[in-house]
Amino acid sequence: MPPFQPHTALGRRLRRLLAWLWHQEGSHGQRARGLAAGLFCGCYPFFGLQMLLSVALASAVRGNHLLAAAGTWVSNPFTSLPLYWFNYQLGCWLIGPGAGWPGLDDLQAGRVWHSGGGFVSRLLLGSTLVGVACALLGGWLYWQWLEREHRRGKRQG
């Protein structure tokens, strides 16, 4: 029995959606570049713009647009706060200590961008470095997986 057998209509839809995303058109390189573009843009705290930016970046690097949009899901309601906190800490480690991470009230009210240039520069520097690392690693791993599946299909077929 396969590890994930959805028994509900929602589970079956989710499985079909994931299969459709992973089997997008394009060469292995185009698909990996699209996913990498999405992972890169997903590491930035530009809520509402991440998908748009990832599709634009995927166009620039000739990557798959749907996989670019899906790659931005690396930051979601469960992962965004730890991801951006880590990005900020990385920026502080490289630039030097800052004013500190804003309070929960500032985060909920959207006043983070009014915290000053020191905070924003540390967050964006960390986001850029983490985004580059995620894009390179994620795109390479996905390309390796696609190549392995392709070779496996040739041997079986």
Side-chain angles (χ1 to χ4, degrees):
M1 179 175 211
F4 176 66
Q5 281 295 327
H7 297 289
T8 65
L10 180 61
R12 287 188 293 275
R13 273 192 188 149
L14 180 60
R15 186 170 183 172
R16 280 196 305 267
L17 174 66
L18 290 174
W20 178 71
L21 279 173
W22 288 119
H23 295 97
Q24 285 295 304
E25 292 181 19
S27 69
H28 296 168
Q30 289 170 320
R31 291 158 63 184
R33 286 190 304 269
L35 181 64
L39 291 172
F40 177 76
C41 291
C43 289
Y44 282 93
F46 302 136
F47 303 111
L49 292 176
Q50 291 173 328
M51 283 191 190
L52 181 65
L53 293 172
S54 71
V55 169
L57 182 57
S59 293
V61 297
R62 297 183 186 167
N64 184 288
H65 296 125
L66 286 173
L67 288 172
T72 63
W73 298 343
V74 70
S75 61
N76 56 60
F78 302 108
T79 63
S80 59
L81 191 58
L83 174 66
Y84 303 140
W85 177 83
F86 178 78
N87 293 351
Y88 176 74
Q89 294 301 320
L90 180 60
C92 285
W93 182 70
L94 293 169
I95 295 176
W101 186 253
L104 188 57
D105 292 338
D106 291 330
L107 292 172
Q108 288 175 336
R111 293 188 296 253
V112 172
W113 296 109
H114 304 290
S115 299
F119 173 79
V120 173
S121 63
R122 285 165 176 79
L123 179 61
L124 292 180
L125 175 62
S127 295
T128 300
L129 296 175
V130 170
V132 167
C134 285
L136 291 173
L137 182 63
W140 181 77
L141 287 173
Y142 184 53
W143 184 81
Q144 290 290 324
W145 180 78
L146 290 170
E147 288 292 314
R148 183 178 47 128
E149 290 299 312
H150 181 71
R151 285 191 302 272
R152 183 180 296 167
K154 277 187 167 181
R155 278 183 272 165
Q156 291 175 358

